[in-house]
Amino acid sequence: MQRNIVRSYLHITSKDYLIKSSCKEKNLEVFLEEKPTPDLCKFFYKEVGKDFFWRDRLKWSDQDWLDYISNDFFKLYILKQNNNLAGYYELLYDPKVPSMEIPYFGIFKEFFGKGIGGHLLTDAILTSFNQKINKVWVHTCTLDHPNALKNYIARGMKIFKTEKIFFNPENL
């Protein structure tokens, strides 16, 4: 069954436009993974994305993963609560623009509904603007978590492009 999907591209052009999360959860820690491995990156990608049709990287070989995470412009950040894994985000710096993309971002479902996604996105945007960049950008679609787009907008990101795509999950 083919579905019409809307993909939205959002950006924020200054940390002055950031609307920080007011998450009340305690013991949240975000840290840079100094030596990400393909297995760790695959784990986060599969676990966070399994309910949201994240499928494009499932066909990647170990070498594809290694090539991606070996890029000098790639960074992996991990969220823990009370020392338990809670989520992650990737940053990919583009020196030509210069900008920071958040290619993948998310939390595990047991952490949904607590404001933790807003906390993590706030961290991703602030961490990005610690570099000399012009904008932070991300894309999401209607297959993603129902609050994904709301979270991006709530943090001050603006939609700069939308597109309609056709998706057939039976072809996966």
Side-chain angles (χ1 to χ4, degrees), residues 4-18:
N4 292 325
I5 305 302
V6 176
R7 183 181 292 150
S8 299
Y9 295 81
L10 300 96
H11 66 187
I12 186 167
T13 56
S14 169
K15 70 179 176 183
D16 295 337
Y17 300 134
L18 173 64

Side-chain angles (χ1 to χ4, degrees), residues 47-62:
E47 284 303 307
V48 171
K50 66 184 172 188
D51 294 327
F52 305 110
F53 292 98
W54 291 9
R55 303 289 189 265
D56 55 323
R57 292 185 181 179
L58 294 179
K59 61 186 174 205
W60 282 15
S61 68
D62 285 343

Side-chain angles (χ1 to χ4, degrees), residues 103-117:
Y104 282 91
F105 166 93
I107 59 175
F108 299 132
K109 71 170 75 176
E110 58 266 29
F111 296 94
F112 288 177
K114 300 177 180 183
I116 292 175

Side-chain angles (χ1 to χ4, degrees), residues 6 84 153:
V6 176
N84 294 311
I153 291 170

Side-chain angles (χ1 to χ4, degrees), residues 31-97:
F31 65 93
L32 172 64
E33 176 58 46
E34 295 289 341
K35 295 185 180 186
T37 64
D39 286 340
L40 181 62
C41 294
K42 281 191 273 190
F43 166 76
F44 278 113
Y45 178 82
K46 287 178 181 179
E47 284 303 307
V48 171
K50 66 184 172 188
D51 294 327
F52 305 110
F53 292 98
W54 291 9
R55 303 289 189 265
D56 55 323
R57 292 185 181 179
L58 294 179
K59 61 186 174 205
W60 282 15
S61 68
D62 285 343
Q63 188 61 52
D64 291 331
W65 279 101
L66 189 58
D67 291 346
Y68 177 70
I69 67 174
S70 297
N71 179 337
D72 290 339
F73 300 122
F74 170 84
K75 301 290 184 213
L76 175 69
Y77 290 84
I78 297 173
L79 171 67
K80 288 186 175 183
Q81 183 178 38
N82 297 318
N83 215 26
N84 294 311
L85 293 175
Y88 84 116
Y89 64 85
E90 298 175 358
L91 293 181
L92 197 56
Y93 174 67
D94 182 350
K96 292 176 283 196
V97 175

